[in-house]
Amino acid sequence: MTRVGVAGVDACRIRRSGLAYLVGIHVEMDGNLPARPRGHELAHEVKNALLASSIPVLDVLVHVEPAPE
């Protein structure tokens, strides 16, 4: 999955809930992009991509932070 503005993934935690998964992911954002509104939009793009995947993902919590320089 490649999204414009995603510089990397700092952490990803996956828990099973019945037959599906709950995902918590820390996405590193390009520090040159404005955090508002782009960070919020980026979080939604990442969440929607994971929910639309072939893996049964029940919910996604996305935390966006600036990428280290």
Side-chain angles (χ1 to χ4, degrees):
M1 170 179 70
T2 302
R3 295 281 180 251
V4 175
V6 175
V9 175
D10 183 47
C12 182
R13 293 182 179 86
I14 302 170
R15 296 181 296 138
R16 190 172 189 94
S17 178
L19 299 175
Y21 298 96
L22 301 170
V23 178
I25 188 166
H26 288 225
V27 176
E28 294 176 342
M29 179 178 147
D30 180 347
N32 295 320
L33 294 174
R36 210 177 268 157
R38 186 61 189 133
H40 189 71
E41 292 168 353
L42 187 64
H44 279 286
E45 289 175 21
V46 171
K47 179 176 181 169
N48 292 338
L50 289 169
L51 290 173
S53 72
S54 61
I55 300 167
V57 176
L58 183 63
D59 197 16
V60 180
L61 175 63
V62 181
H63 175 78
V64 180
E65 53 195 41
E69 293 187 18

